[in-house]
Amino acid sequence: MAGVEDLCARLIPSRHRSLLCADMATEAQQVAVIGAGWAGCSAAVELTEAGHQVTLFEASRQLGGRARRVDINETILDNGQHILLGAYSQTLQMMRKVGIDPASAMLRLPLQMCYPAGSGGMTFVAPRLPAPLHLLAALLRADGLQRQDKLALARFSSAARWMGWQLHDDCSVSTLLERFDQTERLIQLMWRPLCIAALNTPPAQASAQVFLAVLRDSLGARRSASDMLLPRTDLSNLFPQQAAAFIEERGGNVESGHSIRQLQRSDGQNGRWQLQSGAASMDFDAVIIATPPETAATLLDGSADAALLTTLRSFDYEPITTCYLQYAADTRLPRPFLALLDDPENAGGSAAWGQFVFDRGQLDPSQAGLLAVVISASSEAIQAGHEALAQAVAAQLAAAFKQPQLASPSWSQVISEKRATFACTPGLARPANDTGLDKLLLAGDYTASDYPATLESAVRSGRQAAQELLAQIRRASIRRA
């Protein structure tokens, strides 16, 4: 310590000396990150990179949280098919940090909303032109939209830009679209699918302000920000597994299959935190809780104030369901993914639940003939059971593509993530990363943000929690110095 202080005294002006000497003399902290979803992995990577000793705990055997790999009948699937956006700057940066090349890990497509030919939908594809010319060209060339639909879309985009993508008072997406005289067909083919896909909440209940934030960073930003990124690999391998390797290579630990049951202050340990896992207890200098909010509330019970616990327990949730259907290897869709006209109340036949279909074979040749159909906000869809849903989805594909053989897949698998996201409603209260407790922070896509529950909001929250913890550690070092 004396050598560090002498060096500081000789080389650094006195007004900066205390801060820089404290940083140089800061010892590596032992930090626990509870939860190895995308938020927890991001927090752990940030802290590891800053030189701290991180232990990442995950109750499941598989890393990734609500965006992870699942192995079913020797087939690698995901618990839900995902689309990332070019606007996910922090997610892409974090991938690169752990050694992932997004250009090879994901298929990059221009913004598009295309339906099967002859299904009653539209074809809307943005060319690779500078923004906003790419949207103007896509609008002019769009098939399936009438003149009044195109004018309504142009009017909405112009007004949203003029407002700075902000509302004085939040309202539902349906109310917002009504205010700007959006046509019924445009709502059906464009706004409703985008809202449900981005917020996993029906437009009548979804936050217009959060929806505008998503549009701001995609439609309202540079052209590449609106690109759609489709993972070529499973979601665990896309980031969490590489994050774990990054942590372990730098002396940290990743403990999967370890559920933390209790969290409390240690006695006589200089304010350290004690974690209880089964019969074992462990002490850490700092903790980031990156679990779902109800689990975080359980861990914080007895430590955090009542208002925070109430907020954590007040979320409602929406499921997302993915139906996988295997066909002959030569089965191939016209595009890597297409939108589908959903019709849950189809009076003339079985309900049409699917909203988007993905051709996994165009992403990974080893999965040729495998289609993934996504149903967001799927509470009603799963009520009749997985087998009935798979049959309805197969029938919907056969009708949409006018290919009767699609009604009979060789096998199907329905995976429903029942608490995939929180219901993103207007004016929703979301907690800050800071719990008000020293060196104890929250991370997760549900924390305060202008984004909905996406991979990007999870990564942002994890990094923010880590940065706030690093600031607390620096301040403590300054006080000691």
Side-chain angles (χ1 to χ4, degrees), residues 122-143:
M122 68 174 183
T123 300
F124 181 98
V125 182
R128 297 193 181 280
L129 295 173
L133 294 178
H134 68 310
L135 293 180
L136 178 61
L139 189 58
L140 292 173
R141 302 190 316 193
D143 291 330

Side-chain angles (χ1 to χ4, degrees), residues 162-182:
W162 179 81
M163 297 187 306
W165 308 93
Q166 289 286 332
L167 294 173
H168 291 299
D169 296 301
D170 202 358
C171 62
S172 72
V173 171
S174 291
T175 299
L176 178 71
L177 298 176
E178 203 175 298
R179 287 178 185 172
F180 289 97
D181 298 320
Q182 298 300 282

Side-chain angles (χ1 to χ4, degrees), residues 239-434:
F239 171 62
Q241 288 178 355
Q242 304 304 316
F246 181 95
I247 294 161
E248 291 179 326
E249 286 167 2
R250 289 157 180 79
N253 300 295
V254 178
E255 302 289 346
S256 59
H258 275 70
S259 179
I260 303 302
R261 304 294 184 185
Q262 191 174 19
L263 172 67
Q264 62 186 13
R265 285 285 190 188
S266 300
D267 294 331
Q269 292 286 333
N270 194 25
R272 302 185 87 201
W273 290 97
Q274 184 179 79
L275 276 60
Q276 193 76 32
S277 174
S281 64
M282 300 149 282
D283 292 318
F284 291 89
D285 298 304
V287 177
I288 291 179
I289 301 175
T291 67
E294 65 274 13
T295 305
T298 300
L299 291 172
L300 288 169
D301 201 0
S303 299
D305 63 45
L308 175 57
L309 298 178
T310 298
T311 300
L312 291 172
R313 290 170 173 149
S314 66
F315 288 97
D316 293 321
Y317 298 90
E318 291 281 358
I320 297 178
T321 298
T322 303
C323 180
Y324 293 94
L325 304 109
Q326 181 66 60
Y327 298 97
D330 60 355
T331 301
R332 185 180 176 89
L333 299 184
R335 296 177 181 271
F337 86 100
L338 293 107
L340 298 170
L341 283 169
D342 62 334
D343 186 6
E345 300 178 359
N346 185 3
S350 61
W353 296 106
Q355 295 149 357
F356 292 92
V357 57
F358 296 78
D359 186 344
R360 301 272 290 203
Q362 295 190 46
L363 304 172
D364 179 358
S366 70
Q367 295 188 333
L370 180 63
L371 304 184
V373 178
V374 175
I375 308 163
S376 297
S378 58
S379 298
E380 293 183 23
I382 58 179
Q383 286 182 0
H386 287 183
E387 184 177 351
L389 178 58
Q391 292 174 355
V393 167
Q396 179 185 5
L397 293 179
F401 290 97
K402 298 178 174 56
Q403 297 182 32
Q405 68 272 21
L406 295 181
S408 304
S410 59
W411 59 261
S412 63
Q413 180 69 50
V414 174
I415 300 176
S416 190
E417 190 71 21
K418 293 185 178 179
R419 292 193 164 200
T421 71
F422 58 85
C424 192
T425 53
L428 180 67
R430 297 165 66 175
N433 296 101
D434 189 353

